[in-house]
Amino acid sequence: DQQVKQNSPSLSVQEGRISILNCDYTNSMFDYFLWYKKYPAEGPTFLISISSIKDKNEDGRFTVFLNKSAKHLSLHIVPSQPGDSAVYFCAASRGYGKLTFGQGTILTVHP
Amino acid sequence: DTGVSQDPRHKITKRGQNVTFRCDPISEHNRLYWYRQTLGQGPEFLTYFQNEAQLEKSRLLSDRFSAERPKGSFSTLEIQRTEQGDSAMYLCASSDSILYGYTFGSGTRLTVV
């Protein structure tokens, strides 16, 4: 049972434009949501999080939006840079517990 | 403190052998997690500790897998009688708050031949 899903395996964006990565979840008990970035041969790196009491959180070029009724979250990167090219994972947890990850989306930002 | 350290980075072993991995978390983090990642998939939860107590184990963690965190510091993950299906990246993470995410190590890549 895949409780966190990233339905787009890959996304290609031009440098300077917006990247939008999407994630859906099925477990209504999840109350924290996180995004990670992963480069090859490295562990995932934390980007940004949001709790279920909010619908938006910003950190520099990164903004996460949460739509609880649709059980959907998205990560916006503006403007996109070639160094943002990586695999992006969304993850969810119930309280301060284990993270459940999606399958990942490969983002490629072209110069 | 330079982050979460995992040792070794790579391990090649023959089927049927036992292997042990080590994780050194960020020193002030009380929680430590083990995940497994295979190609094209997101990390899958295996187990986690709060201090020295193992609080949860995944159904993925068969009786061939065991994890310890003596004295609430470093942790070890042992796989007995390895199988080819155990080939994966084994990731360790530590945290002291959900809002700041979990800090992952670079992982141990296991190849069972």
Side-chain angles (χ1 to χ4, degrees):
Chain A
D1 177 30
Q2 191 76 28
Q3 297 187 68
V4 179
K5 295 181 182 180
Q6 294 176 256
N7 292 318
S8 297
S10 63
L11 175 67
S12 183
V13 171
Q14 205 68 28
E15 181 179 6
R17 306 296 287 267
I18 185 172
S19 295
I20 300 176
L21 298 116
N22 293 303
C23 179
D24 298 294
Y25 62 96
T26 57
N27 189 340
S28 59
M29 301 300 291
F30 288 144
D31 52 8
Y32 286 101
F33 304 89
L34 302 88
W35 284 94
Y36 281 82
K37 177 169 74 172
K38 187 179 185 302
Y39 293 117
E42 294 183 12
T45 301
F46 171 71
L47 280 175
I48 191 168
S49 67
I50 188 168
S51 73
S52 58
I53 62 172
K54 295 185 175 183
D55 54 17
K56 179 182 175 182
N57 189 26
E58 288 181 82
D59 185 1
R61 297 185 298 113
F62 302 92
T63 303
V64 57
F65 295 91
L66 176 63
N67 182 333
K68 290 186 290 294
S69 61
K71 294 191 178 67
H72 177 84
L73 64 154
S74 61
L75 175 68
H76 293 208
I77 306 173
V78 182
S80 301
Q81 300 172 353
D84 295 329
S85 298
V87 182
Y88 287 76
F89 292 98
C90 67
S93 76
R94 179 180 176 182
Y96 184 21
K98 66 185 180 187
L99 293 178
T100 301
F101 284 84
Q103 309 95 307
T105 297
I106 301 169
L107 173 66
T108 304
V109 180
H110 298 282
Chain B
D1 195 350
T2 56
V4 178
S5 298
Q6 291 189 247
D7 184 69
R9 290 295 306 273
H10 303 276
K11 178 72 176 179
I12 300 174
T13 190
K14 292 184 178 179
R15 189 173 51 190
Q17 297 293 305
N18 299 344
V19 294
T20 301
F21 310 140
R22 177 179 171 123
C23 172
D24 287 274
I26 293 173
S27 56
E28 60 266 28
H29 285 179
N30 58 6
R31 290 210 172 179
L32 185 148
Y33 301 79
W34 284 100
Y35 283 81
R36 179 173 69 185
Q37 185 176 20
T38 53
L39 196 62
Q41 299 297 318
E44 293 177 293
F45 170 77
L46 293 178
T47 188
Y48 84 93
F49 295 83
Q50 177 155 314
N51 301 315
E52 65 272 17
Q54 189 172 20
L55 295 187
E56 187 174 350
K57 290 172 60 174
S58 165
R59 289 190 298 271
L60 294 173
L61 215 65
S62 75
D63 57 4
R64 296 186 297 106
F65 288 70
S66 63
E68 294 183 342
R69 192 183 182 195
K71 302 179 183 178
S73 56
F74 71 92
S75 176
T76 58
L77 177 69
E78 181 183 17
I79 308 174
Q80 296 182 327
R81 305 181 303 281
T82 52
E83 302 172 357
Q84 286 191 318
D86 297 331
S87 295
M89 175 75 81
Y90 289 83
L91 294 163
C92 176
S94 69
S95 75
D96 61 357
S97 168
I98 182 70
L99 288 179
Y100 305 109
Y102 302 166
T103 303
F104 280 85
S106 296
T108 294
R109 178 160 296 284
L110 173 66
T111 302
V112 181
V113 297

